[in-house]
PDB file of all heavy atoms in Angstrom:
ATOM      1  N   GLN A   1     -28.603  30.144 -41.139  1.00 94.00           N
ATOM      2  CA  GLN A   1     -27.207  29.730 -41.008  1.00 94.00           C
ATOM      3  C   GLN A   1     -26.313  30.842 -40.471  1.00 94.00           C
ATOM      4  O   GLN A   1     -25.187  30.575 -40.033  1.00 94.00           O
ATOM      5  CB  GLN A   1     -26.682  29.256 -42.364  1.00 94.00           C
ATOM      6  CG  GLN A   1     -27.356  27.997 -42.887  1.00 94.00           C
ATOM      7  CD  GLN A   1     -27.176  26.807 -41.957  1.00 94.00           C
ATOM      8  OE1 GLN A   1     -26.081  26.583 -41.437  1.00 94.00           O
ATOM      9  NE2 GLN A   1     -28.242  26.060 -41.735  1.00 94.00           N
ATOM     10  N   LYS A   2     -26.784  32.070 -40.487  1.00 94.00           N
ATOM     11  CA  LYS A   2     -26.019  33.193 -39.945  1.00 94.00           C
ATOM     12  C   LYS A   2     -26.182  33.331 -38.436  1.00 94.00           C
ATOM     13  O   LYS A   2     -25.470  34.113 -37.800  1.00 94.00           O
ATOM     14  CB  LYS A   2     -26.453  34.494 -40.613  1.00 94.00           C
ATOM     15  CG  LYS A   2     -26.102  34.603 -42.090  1.00 94.00           C
ATOM     16  CD  LYS A   2     -24.595  34.743 -42.284  1.00 94.00           C
ATOM     17  CE  LYS A   2     -24.235  34.911 -43.742  1.00 94.00           C
ATOM     18  NZ  LYS A   2     -22.772  35.092 -43.941  1.00 94.00           N
ATOM     19  N   LEU A   3     -27.123  32.576 -37.872  1.00 96.00           N
ATOM     20  CA  LEU A   3     -27.402  32.691 -36.440  1.00 96.00           C
ATOM     21  C   LEU A   3     -26.644  31.610 -35.668  1.00 96.00           C
ATOM     22  O   LEU A   3     -26.362  30.531 -36.195  1.00 96.00           O
ATOM     23  CB  LEU A   3     -28.911  32.557 -36.196  1.00 96.00           C
ATOM     24  CG  LEU A   3     -29.797  33.558 -36.933  1.00 96.00           C
ATOM     25  CD1 LEU A   3     -31.265  33.310 -36.614  1.00 96.00           C
ATOM     26  CD2 LEU A   3     -29.409  34.989 -36.597  1.00 96.00           C
ATOM     27  N   PRO A   4     -26.334  31.882 -34.408  1.00 95.00           N
ATOM     28  CA  PRO A   4     -25.582  30.901 -33.616  1.00 95.00           C
ATOM     29  C   PRO A   4     -26.475  29.763 -33.144  1.00 95.00           C
ATOM     30  O   PRO A   4     -27.698  29.907 -33.039  1.00 95.00           O
ATOM     31  CB  PRO A   4     -25.082  31.732 -32.434  1.00 95.00           C
ATOM     32  CG  PRO A   4     -26.141  32.780 -32.261  1.00 95.00           C
ATOM     33  CD  PRO A   4     -26.606  33.121 -33.651  1.00 95.00           C
ATOM     34  N   THR A   5     -25.853  28.641 -32.854  1.00 95.00           N
ATOM     35  CA  THR A   5     -26.577  27.583 -32.159  1.00 95.00           C
ATOM     36  C   THR A   5     -26.634  27.920 -30.672  1.00 95.00           C
ATOM     37  O   THR A   5     -25.791  28.663 -30.152  1.00 95.00           O
ATOM     38  CB  THR A   5     -25.891  26.215 -32.341  1.00 95.00           C
ATOM     39  OG1 THR A   5     -24.569  26.277 -31.802  1.00 95.00           O
ATOM     40  CG2 THR A   5     -25.825  25.829 -33.812  1.00 95.00           C
ATOM     41  N   VAL A   6     -27.647  27.409 -29.985  1.00 95.00           N
ATOM     42  CA  VAL A   6     -27.764  27.598 -28.538  1.00 95.00           C
ATOM     43  C   VAL A   6     -27.983  26.236 -27.900  1.00 95.00           C
ATOM     44  O   VAL A   6     -28.514  25.315 -28.521  1.00 95.00           O
ATOM     45  CB  VAL A   6     -28.924  28.548 -28.162  1.00 95.00           C
ATOM     46  CG1 VAL A   6     -28.687  29.938 -28.736  1.00 95.00           C
ATOM     47  CG2 VAL A   6     -30.265  27.985 -28.642  1.00 95.00           C
ATOM     48  N   ASN A   7     -27.571  26.113 -26.654  1.00 91.00           N
ATOM     49  CA  ASN A   7     -27.770  24.853 -25.953  1.00 91.00           C
ATOM     50  C   ASN A   7     -28.531  25.099 -24.652  1.00 91.00           C
ATOM     51  O   ASN A   7     -28.921  26.234 -24.339  1.00 91.00           O
ATOM     52  CB  ASN A   7     -26.435  24.149 -25.693  1.00 91.00           C
ATOM     53  CG  ASN A   7     -25.476  25.015 -24.885  1.00 91.00           C
ATOM     54  OD1 ASN A   7     -25.877  25.798 -24.024  1.00 91.00           O
ATOM     55  ND2 ASN A   7     -24.179  24.868 -25.157  1.00 91.00           N
ATOM     56  N   LYS A   8     -28.725  24.043 -23.912  1.00 90.00           N
ATOM     57  CA  LYS A   8     -29.502  24.127 -22.679  1.00 90.00           C
ATOM     58  C   LYS A   8     -28.888  25.119 -21.689  1.00 90.00           C
ATOM     59  O   LYS A   8     -29.604  25.903 -21.058  1.00 90.00           O
ATOM     60  CB  LYS A   8     -29.614  22.735 -22.048  1.00 90.00           C
ATOM     61  CG  LYS A   8     -30.431  22.698 -20.773  1.00 90.00           C
ATOM     62  CD  LYS A   8     -30.517  21.299 -20.198  1.00 90.00           C
ATOM     63  CE  LYS A   8     -31.363  20.395 -21.051  1.00 90.00           C
ATOM     64  NZ  LYS A   8     -31.602  19.088 -20.383  1.00 90.00           N
ATOM     65  N   ASN A   9     -27.563  25.115 -21.557  1.00 88.00           N
ATOM     66  CA  ASN A   9     -26.912  26.026 -20.617  1.00 88.00           C
ATOM     67  C   ASN A   9     -27.127  27.484 -20.990  1.00 88.00           C
ATOM     68  O   ASN A   9     -27.309  28.348 -20.128  1.00 88.00           O
ATOM     69  CB  ASN A   9     -25.416  25.719 -20.525  1.00 88.00           C
ATOM     70  CG  ASN A   9     -25.126  24.467 -19.734  1.00 88.00           C
ATOM     71  OD1 ASN A   9     -25.906  24.079 -18.866  1.00 88.00           O
ATOM     72  ND2 ASN A   9     -24.024  23.804 -20.040  1.00 88.00           N
ATOM     73  N   ASP A  10     -27.098  27.789 -22.291  1.00 93.00           N
ATOM     74  CA  ASP A  10     -27.347  29.162 -22.733  1.00 93.00           C
ATOM     75  C   ASP A  10     -28.719  29.642 -22.255  1.00 93.00           C
ATOM     76  O   ASP A  10     -28.869  30.779 -21.770  1.00 93.00           O
ATOM     77  CB  ASP A  10     -27.288  29.252 -24.260  1.00 93.00           C
ATOM     78  CG  ASP A  10     -25.912  28.927 -24.811  1.00 93.00           C
ATOM     79  OD1 ASP A  10     -24.920  29.234 -24.124  1.00 93.00           O
ATOM     80  OD2 ASP A  10     -25.838  28.370 -25.916  1.00 93.00           O
ATOM     81  N   LEU A  11     -29.706  28.779 -22.412  1.00 93.00           N
ATOM     82  CA  LEU A  11     -31.069  29.158 -22.034  1.00 93.00           C
ATOM     83  C   LEU A  11     -31.243  29.213 -20.521  1.00 93.00           C
ATOM     84  O   LEU A  11     -31.923  30.102 -19.992  1.00 93.00           O
ATOM     85  CB  LEU A  11     -32.067  28.180 -22.647  1.00 93.00           C
ATOM     86  CG  LEU A  11     -32.024  28.038 -24.176  1.00 93.00           C
ATOM     87  CD1 LEU A  11     -33.091  27.069 -24.653  1.00 93.00           C
ATOM     88  CD2 LEU A  11     -32.203  29.382 -24.847  1.00 93.00           C
ATOM     89  N   MET A  12     -30.636  28.278 -19.817  1.00 89.00           N
ATOM     90  CA  MET A  12     -30.790  28.238 -18.362  1.00 89.00           C
ATOM     91  C   MET A  12     -30.220  29.491 -17.702  1.00 89.00           C
ATOM     92  O   MET A  12     -30.787  30.006 -16.744  1.00 89.00           O
ATOM     93  CB  MET A  12     -30.098  26.995 -17.797  1.00 89.00           C
ATOM     94  CG  MET A  12     -30.796  25.683 -18.107  1.00 89.00           C
ATOM     95  SD  MET A  12     -29.836  24.234 -17.603  1.00 89.00           S
ATOM     96  CE  MET A  12     -29.755  24.480 -15.834  1.00 89.00           C
ATOM     97  N   HIS A  13     -29.099  29.984 -18.211  1.00 89.00           N
ATOM     98  CA  HIS A  13     -28.417  31.100 -17.563  1.00 89.00           C
ATOM     99  C   HIS A  13     -28.875  32.468 -18.070  1.00 89.00           C
ATOM    100  O   HIS A  13     -28.511  33.492 -17.490  1.00 89.00           O
ATOM    101  CB  HIS A  13     -26.903  30.967 -17.762  1.00 89.00           C
ATOM    102  CG  HIS A  13     -26.324  29.755 -17.092  1.00 89.00           C
ATOM    103  ND1 HIS A  13     -25.500  28.859 -17.744  1.00 89.00           N
ATOM    104  CD2 HIS A  13     -26.477  29.265 -15.837  1.00 89.00           C
ATOM    105  CE1 HIS A  13     -25.163  27.882 -16.913  1.00 89.00           C
ATOM    106  NE2 HIS A  13     -25.745  28.110 -15.752  1.00 89.00           N
ATOM    107  N   ASN A  14     -29.653  32.490 -19.161  1.00 93.00           N
ATOM    108  CA  ASN A  14     -30.098  33.772 -19.721  1.00 93.00           C
ATOM    109  C   ASN A  14     -31.553  33.715 -20.164  1.00 93.00           C
ATOM    110  O   ASN A  14     -31.923  34.292 -21.183  1.00 93.00           O
ATOM    111  CB  ASN A  14     -29.218  34.152 -20.926  1.00 93.00           C
ATOM    112  CG  ASN A  14     -27.755  34.283 -20.569  1.00 93.00           C
ATOM    113  OD1 ASN A  14     -27.326  35.276 -20.010  1.00 93.00           O
ATOM    114  ND2 ASN A  14     -26.981  33.249 -20.903  1.00 93.00           N
ATOM    115  N   LEU A  15     -32.384  33.010 -19.402  1.00 94.00           N
ATOM    116  CA  LEU A  15     -33.755  32.756 -19.832  1.00 94.00           C
ATOM    117  C   LEU A  15     -34.519  34.019 -20.232  1.00 94.00           C
ATOM    118  O   LEU A  15     -35.152  34.041 -21.297  1.00 94.00           O
ATOM    119  CB  LEU A  15     -34.514  32.004 -18.736  1.00 94.00           C
ATOM    120  CG  LEU A  15     -35.963  31.645 -19.075  1.00 94.00           C
ATOM    121  CD1 LEU A  15     -36.033  30.731 -20.275  1.00 94.00           C
ATOM    122  CD2 LEU A  15     -36.641  30.992 -17.871  1.00 94.00           C
ATOM    123  N   PRO A  16     -34.496  35.137 -19.454  1.00 95.00           N
ATOM    124  CA  PRO A  16     -35.284  36.319 -19.850  1.00 95.00           C
ATOM    125  C   PRO A  16     -34.909  36.867 -21.227  1.00 95.00           C
ATOM    126  O   PRO A  16     -35.773  37.433 -21.926  1.00 95.00           O
ATOM    127  CB  PRO A  16     -34.969  37.337 -18.748  1.00 95.00           C
ATOM    128  CG  PRO A  16     -34.551  36.503 -17.575  1.00 95.00           C
ATOM    129  CD  PRO A  16     -33.829  35.337 -18.161  1.00 95.00           C
ATOM    130  N   HIS A  17     -33.653  36.695 -21.641  1.00 97.00           N
ATOM    131  CA  HIS A  17     -33.213  37.218 -22.931  1.00 97.00           C
ATOM    132  C   HIS A  17     -33.764  36.417 -24.102  1.00 97.00           C
ATOM    133  O   HIS A  17     -33.715  36.881 -25.247  1.00 97.00           O
ATOM    134  CB  HIS A  17     -31.687  37.240 -22.992  1.00 97.00           C
ATOM    135  CG  HIS A  17     -31.055  38.185 -22.017  1.00 97.00           C
ATOM    136  ND1 HIS A  17     -30.983  39.548 -22.226  1.00 97.00           N
ATOM    137  CD2 HIS A  17     -30.497  37.963 -20.802  1.00 97.00           C
ATOM    138  CE1 HIS A  17     -30.387  40.125 -21.201  1.00 97.00           C
ATOM    139  NE2 HIS A  17     -30.091  39.190 -20.313  1.00 97.00           N
ATOM    140  N   PHE A  18     -34.282  35.213 -23.837  1.00 97.00           N
ATOM    141  CA  PHE A  18     -34.812  34.379 -24.907  1.00 97.00           C
ATOM    142  C   PHE A  18     -36.339  34.397 -24.963  1.00 97.00           C
ATOM    143  O   PHE A  18     -36.945  33.615 -25.703  1.00 97.00           O
ATOM    144  CB  PHE A  18     -34.305  32.946 -24.749  1.00 97.00           C
ATOM    145  CG  PHE A  18     -32.842  32.798 -25.080  1.00 97.00           C
ATOM    146  CD1 PHE A  18     -31.878  32.914 -24.091  1.00 97.00           C
ATOM    147  CD2 PHE A  18     -32.426  32.581 -26.387  1.00 97.00           C
ATOM    148  CE1 PHE A  18     -30.528  32.802 -24.386  1.00 97.00           C
ATOM    149  CE2 PHE A  18     -31.087  32.458 -26.699  1.00 97.00           C
ATOM    150  CZ  PHE A  18     -30.129  32.576 -25.702  1.00 97.00           C
ATOM    151  N   LEU A  19     -36.958  35.301 -24.193  1.00 97.00           N
ATOM    152  CA  LEU A  19     -38.411  35.458 -24.216  1.00 97.00           C
ATOM    153  C   LEU A  19     -38.782  36.671 -25.061  1.00 97.00           C
ATOM    154  O   LEU A  19     -38.124  37.707 -25.009  1.00 97.00           O
ATOM    155  CB  LEU A  19     -38.953  35.630 -22.796  1.00 97.00           C
ATOM    156  CG  LEU A  19     -38.674  34.485 -21.822  1.00 97.00           C
ATOM    157  CD1 LEU A  19     -39.203  34.831 -20.434  1.00 97.00           C
ATOM    158  CD2 LEU A  19     -39.292  33.190 -22.321  1.00 97.00           C
ATOM    159  N   SER A  20     -39.845  36.563 -25.825  1.00 97.00           N
ATOM    160  CA  SER A  20     -40.280  37.668 -26.684  1.00 97.00           C
ATOM    161  C   SER A  20     -40.794  38.830 -25.843  1.00 97.00           C
ATOM    162  O   SER A  20     -41.588  38.645 -24.912  1.00 97.00           O
ATOM    163  CB  SER A  20     -41.378  37.191 -27.632  1.00 97.00           C
ATOM    164  OG  SER A  20     -41.936  38.288 -28.333  1.00 97.00           O
ATOM    165  N   ARG A  21     -40.359  40.033 -26.198  1.00 96.00           N
ATOM    166  CA  ARG A  21     -40.860  41.240 -25.521  1.00 96.00           C
ATOM    167  C   ARG A  21     -42.314  41.510 -25.852  1.00 96.00           C
ATOM    168  O   ARG A  21     -43.001  42.220 -25.119  1.00 96.00           O
ATOM    169  CB  ARG A  21     -40.030  42.461 -25.948  1.00 96.00           C
ATOM    170  CG  ARG A  21     -38.579  42.457 -25.508  1.00 96.00           C
ATOM    171  CD  ARG A  21     -37.936  43.795 -25.837  1.00 96.00           C
ATOM    172  NE  ARG A  21     -38.029  44.078 -27.256  1.00 96.00           N
ATOM    173  CZ  ARG A  21     -37.035  43.925 -28.122  1.00 96.00           C
ATOM    174  NH1 ARG A  21     -35.858  43.495 -27.688  1.00 96.00           N
ATOM    175  NH2 ARG A  21     -37.199  44.205 -29.402  1.00 96.00           N
ATOM    176  N   ASN A  22     -42.788  40.984 -26.966  1.00 96.00           N
ATOM    177  CA  ASN A  22     -44.139  41.286 -27.444  1.00 96.00           C
ATOM    178  C   ASN A  22     -45.203  40.328 -26.932  1.00 96.00           C
ATOM    179  O   ASN A  22     -46.346  40.400 -27.361  1.00 96.00           O
ATOM    180  CB  ASN A  22     -44.158  41.283 -28.977  1.00 96.00           C
ATOM    181  CG  ASN A  22     -43.433  42.469 -29.572  1.00 96.00           C
ATOM    182  OD1 ASN A  22     -42.609  43.100 -28.914  1.00 96.00           O
ATOM    183  ND2 ASN A  22     -43.726  42.797 -30.824  1.00 96.00           N
ATOM    184  N   MET A  23     -44.829  39.414 -26.060  1.00 96.00           N
ATOM    185  CA  MET A  23     -45.791  38.457 -25.525  1.00 96.00           C
ATOM    186  C   MET A  23     -45.873  38.594 -24.014  1.00 96.00           C
ATOM    187  O   MET A  23     -44.847  38.670 -23.325  1.00 96.00           O
ATOM    188  CB  MET A  23     -45.382  37.024 -25.887  1.00 96.00           C
ATOM    189  CG  MET A  23     -45.366  36.732 -27.378  1.00 96.00           C
ATOM    190  SD  MET A  23     -47.000  36.855 -28.151  1.00 96.00           S
ATOM    191  CE  MET A  23     -47.806  35.424 -27.449  1.00 96.00           C
ATOM    192  N   SER A  24     -47.083  38.612 -23.505  1.00 92.00           N
ATOM    193  CA  SER A  24     -47.293  38.655 -22.071  1.00 92.00           C
ATOM    194  C   SER A  24     -46.852  37.354 -21.426  1.00 92.00           C
ATOM    195  O   SER A  24     -46.962  36.280 -22.031  1.00 92.00           O
ATOM    196  CB  SER A  24     -48.780  38.905 -21.768  1.00 92.00           C
ATOM    197  OG  SER A  24     -49.087  38.615 -20.432  1.00 92.00           O
ATOM    198  N   ARG A  25     -46.352  37.442 -20.191  1.00 85.00           N
ATOM    199  CA  ARG A  25     -45.985  36.225 -19.470  1.00 85.00           C
ATOM    200  C   ARG A  25     -47.187  35.307 -19.284  1.00 85.00           C
ATOM    201  O   ARG A  25     -47.044  34.094 -19.157  1.00 85.00           O
ATOM    202  CB  ARG A  25     -45.389  36.590 -18.104  1.00 85.00           C
ATOM    203  CG  ARG A  25     -43.999  37.188 -18.177  1.00 85.00           C
ATOM    204  CD  ARG A  25     -42.976  36.179 -18.685  1.00 85.00           C
ATOM    205  NE  ARG A  25     -41.646  36.755 -18.793  1.00 85.00           N
ATOM    206  CZ  ARG A  25     -40.758  36.735 -17.828  1.00 85.00           C
ATOM    207  NH1 ARG A  25     -41.069  36.179 -16.671  1.00 85.00           N
ATOM    208  NH2 ARG A  25     -39.565  37.271 -17.997  1.00 85.00           N
ATOM    209  N   ARG A  26     -48.389  35.877 -19.266  1.00 91.00           N
ATOM    210  CA  ARG A  26     -49.589  35.050 -19.128  1.00 91.00           C
ATOM    211  C   ARG A  26     -49.808  34.168 -20.349  1.00 91.00           C
ATOM    212  O   ARG A  26     -50.536  33.169 -20.277  1.00 91.00           O
ATOM    213  CB  ARG A  26     -50.812  35.936 -18.902  1.00 91.00           C
ATOM    214  CG  ARG A  26     -50.831  36.620 -17.543  1.00 91.00           C
ATOM    215  CD  ARG A  26     -52.056  37.489 -17.381  1.00 91.00           C
ATOM    216  NE  ARG A  26     -52.080  38.582 -18.365  1.00 91.00           N
ATOM    217  CZ  ARG A  26     -53.051  39.468 -18.486  1.00 91.00           C
ATOM    218  NH1 ARG A  26     -54.111  39.381 -17.677  1.00 91.00           N
ATOM    219  NH2 ARG A  26     -52.993  40.424 -19.384  1.00 91.00           N
ATOM    220  N   ALA A  27     -49.186  34.531 -21.482  1.00 94.00           N
ATOM    221  CA  ALA A  27     -49.301  33.705 -22.684  1.00 94.00           C
ATOM    222  C   ALA A  27     -48.385  32.497 -22.637  1.00 94.00           C
ATOM    223  O   ALA A  27     -48.493  31.592 -23.462  1.00 94.00           O
ATOM    224  CB  ALA A  27     -48.995  34.539 -23.924  1.00 94.00           C
ATOM    225  N   GLY A  28     -47.458  32.483 -21.668  1.00 94.00           N
ATOM    226  CA  GLY A  28     -46.505  31.392 -21.572  1.00 94.00           C
ATOM    227  C   GLY A  28     -46.912  30.361 -20.541  1.00 94.00           C
ATOM    228  O   GLY A  28     -47.523  30.674 -19.517  1.00 94.00           O
ATOM    229  N   MET A  29     -46.573  29.127 -20.796  1.00 92.00           N
ATOM    230  CA  MET A  29     -46.810  28.030 -19.856  1.00 92.00           C
ATOM    231  C   MET A  29     -45.456  27.545 -19.360  1.00 92.00           C
ATOM    232  O   MET A  29     -44.664  26.984 -20.122  1.00 92.00           O
ATOM    233  CB  MET A  29     -47.577  26.890 -20.530  1.00 92.00           C
ATOM    234  CG  MET A  29     -47.736  25.653 -19.646  1.00 92.00           C
ATOM    235  SD  MET A  29     -48.715  24.341 -20.430  1.00 92.00           S
ATOM    236  CE  MET A  29     -50.355  25.044 -20.289  1.00 92.00           C
ATOM    237  N   LYS A  30     -45.175  27.760 -18.090  1.00 91.00           N
ATOM    238  CA  LYS A  30     -43.900  27.350 -17.519  1.00 91.00           C
ATOM    239  C   LYS A  30     -43.795  25.828 -17.542  1.00 91.00           C
ATOM    240  O   LYS A  30     -44.691  25.120 -17.094  1.00 91.00           O
ATOM    241  CB  LYS A  30     -43.765  27.865 -16.098  1.00 91.00           C
ATOM    242  CG  LYS A  30     -42.400  27.602 -15.463  1.00 91.00           C
ATOM    243  CD  LYS A  30     -42.345  28.056 -14.012  1.00 91.00           C
ATOM    244  CE  LYS A  30     -42.509  29.569 -13.892  1.00 91.00           C
ATOM    245  NZ  LYS A  30     -42.325  30.012 -12.471  1.00 91.00           N
ATOM    246  N   THR A  31     -42.674  25.348 -18.078  1.00 90.00           N
ATOM    247  CA  THR A  31     -42.484  23.915 -18.280  1.00 90.00           C
ATOM    248  C   THR A  31     -41.054  23.552 -17.922  1.00 90.00           C
ATOM    249  O   THR A  31     -40.169  24.408 -17.938  1.00 90.00           O
ATOM    250  CB  THR A  31     -42.770  23.549 -19.755  1.00 90.00           C
ATOM    251  OG1 THR A  31     -44.012  24.133 -20.165  1.00 90.00           O
ATOM    252  CG2 THR A  31     -42.860  22.042 -19.942  1.00 90.00           C
ATOM    253  N   PHE A  32     -40.838  22.283 -17.614  1.00 83.00           N
ATOM    254  CA  PHE A  32     -39.503  21.803 -17.282  1.00 83.00           C
ATOM    255  C   PHE A  32     -39.179  20.584 -18.115  1.00 83.00           C
ATOM    256  O   PHE A  32     -40.056  19.747 -18.370  1.00 83.00           O
ATOM    257  CB  PHE A  32     -39.404  21.441 -15.794  1.00 83.00           C
ATOM    258  CG  PHE A  32     -39.568  22.621 -14.865  1.00 83.00           C
ATOM    259  CD1 PHE A  32     -40.831  23.049 -14.483  1.00 83.00           C
ATOM    260  CD2 PHE A  32     -38.453  23.296 -14.391  1.00 83.00           C
ATOM    261  CE1 PHE A  32     -40.984  24.132 -13.630  1.00 83.00           C
ATOM    262  CE2 PHE A  32     -38.593  24.377 -13.539  1.00 83.00           C
ATOM    263  CZ  PHE A  32     -39.862  24.805 -13.162  1.00 83.00           C
ATOM    264  N   THR A  33     -37.927  20.491 -18.538  1.00 79.00           N
ATOM    265  CA  THR A  33     -37.486  19.271 -19.195  1.00 79.00           C
ATOM    266  C   THR A  33     -37.411  18.161 -18.155  1.00 79.00           C
ATOM    267  O   THR A  33     -37.383  18.401 -16.958  1.00 79.00           O
ATOM    268  CB  THR A  33     -36.099  19.434 -19.837  1.00 79.00           C
ATOM    269  OG1 THR A  33     -35.152  19.752 -18.804  1.00 79.00           O
ATOM    270  CG2 THR A  33     -36.096  20.548 -20.867  1.00 79.00           C
TER     271      THR A  33
END
C-alpha cells in the first residue's frame, strides 16, 4: 500500500526502468498486449 499504482502509459514510456537489473534480457519474452 506504500507503493504507487502504475498504468499502461507509465510502462510504455519508461519500459527499461521496470525491468529487473538482475535478469538477462534473454530470460525475457517480448510480448504485446
Side-chain angles (χ1 to χ4, degrees):
Q1 295 300 317
K2 293 291 182 178
L3 303 180
T5 61
V6 298
N7 58 33
K8 181 180 290 188
N9 285 334
D10 296 327
L11 303 182
M12 289 173 63
H13 295 130
N14 301 282
L15 181 61
H17 295 281
F18 288 92
L19 301 177
S20 172
R21 294 187 302 258
N22 289 20
M23 297 296 290
S24 165
R25 288 294 178 91
R26 290 180 297 178
M29 174 177 286
K30 186 184 296 185
T31 312
F32 295 85
T33 61

